[in-house]
């Protein structure tokens, strides 16, 4: 169908369009102005604490809201569902910015010239261009790194020595005599990794039918033999009380609160051997915080990324409410000197370097959904549900 317009109609339409454009621009300016004092952060626990946020709120006279979740895919699905209009920053583990969020246009690159020099001041493993902070083609800087750590399993060293745990590694769960002596942390994604490792194969590649069958058998056995299944507080209490001798998944992130309370016998352990490249058996995580592809991104987003690089704030982030962890900024002497001997012990600074070297960096499991369904069914069967 052809529509015909008179000159008068065209001028009227053009005028209305101009008015709409002007009104839209005004609304856009109003919205932008409103967002100059507003910041919304979707993150892992710690960045949502008053210790971290209040000084920033006060210095910027800003309204800063942060929501904490404990699952990367759930946070990313919130953006996919349209919440790119809500959030300004997203803080998730290392593979997601590079492999998922940037390709799906859920996040925006940072000004590389401005932010990359911060990486040069971080611990050596974060030397720029740091792989997990960069786009796949190596051109765009996708986020800033701060907290990190090894994350495999935790033992009560009064019951299982560190040396024994490191040597036996994932075979602790293959030893039938350990049934009823361990716990399983409610951390589905990491438990999928670990059941692959207990089964004897690399989690971070596609799996054969035979491996899936082995995964199924292992999942059933692991959950059937678990004394406790619960959250971090439950696991630490069960370790301290002697109800269990060790648990998976865990590491600095989960053990540090118990250690900070004086329980030095609760220790995250990284296996000395395993089925991953290089014979490694440990898995580590590194958080990357990115700016969301929000059409009205708050200018406070990049200011917050700079704020948490400050040595004092970085120390606050490391010991924010919840769990305690090393931060990449500890390479800066002004940051490192803020950590007390007790704090360094809580985050297992003595073995951090060797544990990170013995670990593979957390990655995406190609057939995760299939393995998760199998593991969930095994967990339900073991609980009688």
């Amino acid at each position: 169908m052809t529509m015909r317009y008179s000159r008068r109609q065209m001028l009227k339409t053009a005028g209305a369009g101009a008015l709409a454009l002007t009104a839209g621009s005004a609304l856009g300016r109003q919205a932008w102005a409103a967002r100059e004092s507003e910041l919304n952060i979707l993150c892992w626990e710690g960045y949502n604490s008053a210790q971290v946020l209040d000084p920033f709120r006060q210095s910027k006279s800003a309204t800063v809201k942060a929501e904490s979740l404990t699952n990367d895919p759930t946070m990313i699905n919130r953006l996919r569902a349209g919440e790119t209009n809500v959030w300004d920053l997203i803080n998730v583990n290392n593979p997601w910015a590079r492999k998922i969020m940037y390709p799906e246009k859920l996040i925006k690159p940072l000004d590389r010239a401005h932010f990359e020099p911060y990486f040069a001041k971080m611990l050596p493993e974060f030397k720029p261009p740091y792989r997990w902070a960069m786009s796949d083609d190596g051109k765009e800087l996708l986020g800033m790194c701060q907290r990190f750590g090894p994350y495999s399993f935790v033992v009560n060293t009064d019951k299982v020595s560190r040396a024994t745990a490191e040597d036996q590694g994932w075979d602790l769960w293959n030893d039938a005599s350990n049934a009823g002596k361990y716990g399983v942390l409610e951390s589905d994604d990491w438990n999928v990794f670990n059941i692959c490792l207990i089964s004897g194969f690399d989690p971070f590649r596609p799996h054969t039918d035979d491996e899936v069958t082995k995964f199924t058998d292992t999942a059933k056995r692991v959950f059937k033999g678990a004394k406790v299944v619960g959250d971090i507080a439950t696991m630490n209490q069960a370790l301290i009380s002697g109800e269990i001798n060790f648990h998976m998944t865990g590491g600095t992130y989960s053990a540090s609160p118990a250690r900070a309370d004086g329980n030095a016998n609760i220790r995250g352990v990284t296996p000395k051997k395993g089925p991953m490249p290089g014979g490694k058996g440990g898995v580590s995580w590194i958080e990357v915080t990115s700016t969301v592809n929000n059409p009205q991104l708050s200018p406070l987003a990049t200011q917050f990324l700079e704020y948490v690089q400050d040595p004092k704030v970085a120390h606050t982030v490391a010991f924010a409410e919840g769990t305690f962890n090393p931060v990449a900024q500890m390479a800066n002497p002004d940051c490192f000197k803020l950590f007390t001997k007790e704090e360094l012990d809580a985050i297992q600074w003595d073995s951090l370097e060797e544990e990170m070297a013995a670990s593979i960096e957390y990655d995406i499991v190609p057939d995760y959904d299939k393995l998760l369904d199998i593991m969930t069914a095994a967990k339900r069967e073991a609980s009688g549900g």
Side-chain angles (χ1 to χ4, degrees):
M1 181 174 67
T2 300
M3 299 185 70
R4 295 181 182 277
Y5 282 87
S6 68
R7 175 178 170 79
R8 185 174 180 181
Q9 284 173 316
M10 289 185 70
L11 288 172
K12 184 178 179 181
T13 301
L19 284 172
L21 184 61
T22 301
S25 298
L27 287 172
R29 285 195 298 273
Q30 289 170 5
W32 178 259
R35 302 234 59 225
E36 287 181 339
S37 59
E38 173 187 306
L39 178 67
N40 295 325
I41 307 171
L42 189 60
C43 58
W44 280 82
E45 62 181 332
Y47 286 99
N48 61 333
S49 73
Q51 300 159 274
V52 175
L53 297 182
D54 280 354
F56 187 78
R57 288 175 174 133
Q58 292 161 10
S59 68
K60 303 295 182 184
S61 299
T63 300
V64 182
K65 297 177 181 176
E67 182 175 338
S68 171
L69 297 177
T70 56
N71 184 295
D72 294 322
T74 300
M75 284 193 265
I76 292 161
N77 283 336
R78 297 273 293 268
L79 300 189
R80 286 170 168 154
E83 293 190 17
T84 49
N85 292 320
V86 174
W87 304 105
D88 299 293
L89 290 171
I90 182 168
N91 163 252
V92 292
N93 283 306
N94 46 293
W96 301 99
R98 178 187 177 100
K99 293 190 172 182
I100 301 294
M101 292 194 294
Y102 184 62
E104 294 186 16
K105 297 181 171 55
L106 299 173
I107 57 174
K108 295 179 178 179
L110 296 172
D111 181 344
R112 187 171 175 179
H114 183 79
F115 280 99
E116 198 165 62
Y118 285 109
F119 283 84
K121 300 176 183 177
M122 296 182 188
L123 292 168
E125 54 265 45
F126 297 94
K127 182 181 176 183
Y130 177 61
R131 175 173 179 258
W132 290 117
M134 303 301 295
S135 59
D136 198 41
D137 62 8
K139 294 180 179 177
E140 302 288 357
L141 178 63
L142 303 181
M144 298 299 290
C145 297
Q146 190 150 49
R147 302 189 299 185
F148 69 98
Y151 207 60
S152 292
F153 60 86
V154 178
V155 301
N156 178 338
T157 55
D158 292 341
K159 301 293 183 66
V160 182
S161 72
R162 176 185 168 190
T164 298
E166 288 178 341
D167 290 341
Q168 290 196 20
W170 297 108
D171 281 338
L172 282 173
W173 278 266
N174 288 323
D175 183 343
S177 68
N178 283 328
K181 298 179 181 177
Y182 62 83
V184 177
L185 180 69
E186 288 178 328
S187 180
D188 286 343
D189 44 358
W190 290 83
N191 288 337
V192 166
F193 306 166
N194 293 347
I195 290 173
C196 288
L197 292 166
I198 295 168
S199 301
F201 49 80
D202 184 347
F204 305 118
R205 60 165 175 72
H207 300 105
T208 65
D209 290 343
D210 285 347
E211 287 173 336
V212 171
T213 299
K214 192 167 185 181
F215 179 94
T216 304
D217 294 341
T218 303
K220 288 181 178 180
R221 178 166 49 77
V222 165
F223 280 101
K224 187 178 178 181
K227 182 77 175 292
V228 184
V229 178
D231 59 17
I232 288 176
T234 301
M235 286 303 114
N236 281 333
Q237 185 55 45
L239 284 168
I240 293 167
S241 69
E243 186 178 6
I244 59 174
N245 295 346
F246 55 95
H247 81 83
M248 72 165 198
T249 300
T252 310
Y253 189 92
S254 67
S256 55
R259 292 178 61 82
D261 284 341
N263 301 290
N265 58 327
I266 309 303
R267 187 172 185 97
V269 167
T270 301
K272 286 187 174 178
K273 62 181 187 303
M276 295 183 288
K280 295 184 178 182
V283 182
S284 62
W285 56 275
I286 304 102
E287 288 178 351
V288 178
T289 305
S290 304
T291 48
V292 173
N293 190 13
N294 186 329
Q296 293 179 339
L297 184 71
S298 169
L300 295 178
T302 52
Q303 293 177 36
F304 186 83
L305 290 178
E306 292 183 286
Y307 161 76
V308 295
Q309 296 297 317
D310 178 89
K312 290 183 180 177
V313 181
H315 173 259
T316 301
V317 169
F319 270 80
E321 182 181 1
T323 71
F324 314 132
N325 301 280
V327 290
Q329 291 72 24
M330 292 175 77
N332 183 342
D334 290 336
C335 180
F336 188 81
K337 70 183 182 184
L338 300 174
F339 287 79
T340 66
K341 180 179 179 297
E342 291 75 19
E343 288 175 340
L344 291 174
D345 187 59
I347 60 174
Q348 298 185 200
W349 179 254
D350 62 323
S351 60
L352 179 64
E353 186 175 352
E354 62 184 279
E355 291 194 62
M356 290 298 288
S359 298
I360 293 292
E361 293 162 335
Y362 164 30
D363 208 337
I364 295 171
V365 178
D367 44 7
Y368 176 77
D369 289 343
K370 179 199 295 184
L371 299 183
L372 177 64
D373 286 346
I374 291 169
M375 190 187 75
T376 302
K379 181 178 174 181
R380 189 182 305 118
E381 180 181 309
S383 66

